[in-house]
Amino acid sequence: MVALTQDELLAEFEGMTLIQLSEFVKAFEEKFDVTAAAAVAVAGPAGPAAAAEAPEEKDEFDVVLTGAGDKKIQVIKVVRELTSLGLKEAKDLVDGAPKPVLEKVNKEAADKAKESLEGAGASVEVK
């Protein structure tokens, strides 16, 4: 038996119709008792649809203070706890809302900061 190279196999798959390729995959699965779902994706041409199937999961978030609410002093205290800002800088940040409080933090830190700020009465967005 003559072994085909990977390039030769790909050239053969390229010449097949979609129905022929589907029948081949079914036969391959039965013969070797495997599921070749990944092989189908590899054998098909990669296009814009393939890129759309696997959207990137966001791993960096910004916590943006959109409003201080009624308890401005509490919000300033929470901002100081979350950041290394001094009293004046934290007050300026709260007064100048909407402004980012934390930038490029992980999901867990962003959720915790949002919860703390909302608990103090602020309006917050996570972007």
Side-chain angles (χ1 to χ4, degrees), residues 14 17 23-24 26 34 55 66:
E14 200 171 58
T17 66
E23 290 171 354
F24 170 76
K26 286 179 187 175
V34 295
T66 56

Side-chain angles (χ1 to χ4, degrees), residues 19-119:
I19 294 172
Q20 291 171 327
L21 188 57
S22 176
E23 290 171 354
F24 170 76
V25 170
K26 286 179 187 175
F28 186 91
E29 288 175 339
E30 288 174 14
K31 172 84 174 173
F32 297 105
D33 194 27
V34 295
T35 302
V40 173
V42 171
E53 290 176 15
E56 277 190 42
E57 189 171 319
K58 192 173 180 182
D59 61 350
E60 289 184 339
F61 298 88
D62 294 342
V63 180
V64 180
L65 179 69
T66 56
D70 296 335
K71 301 176 183 175
K72 190 167 150 183
I73 294 173
Q74 291 300 100
V75 174
I76 292 170
K77 287 180 181 180
V78 172
V79 168
R80 289 191 66 204
E81 290 172 9
L82 295 172
T83 64
S84 60
L85 296 176
L87 181 60
K88 182 177 179 353
E89 292 85 5
K91 182 183 180 302
D92 291 345
L93 187 144
V94 172
D95 288 340
K99 286 204 171 185
V101 177
L102 298 173
E103 295 179 322
K104 297 181 180 178
V105 296
N106 64 26
K107 177 83 170 143
E108 185 178 305
D111 289 341
K112 187 176 178 182
K114 180 180 180 185
E115 185 179 309
S116 297
L117 287 164
E118 286 178 342

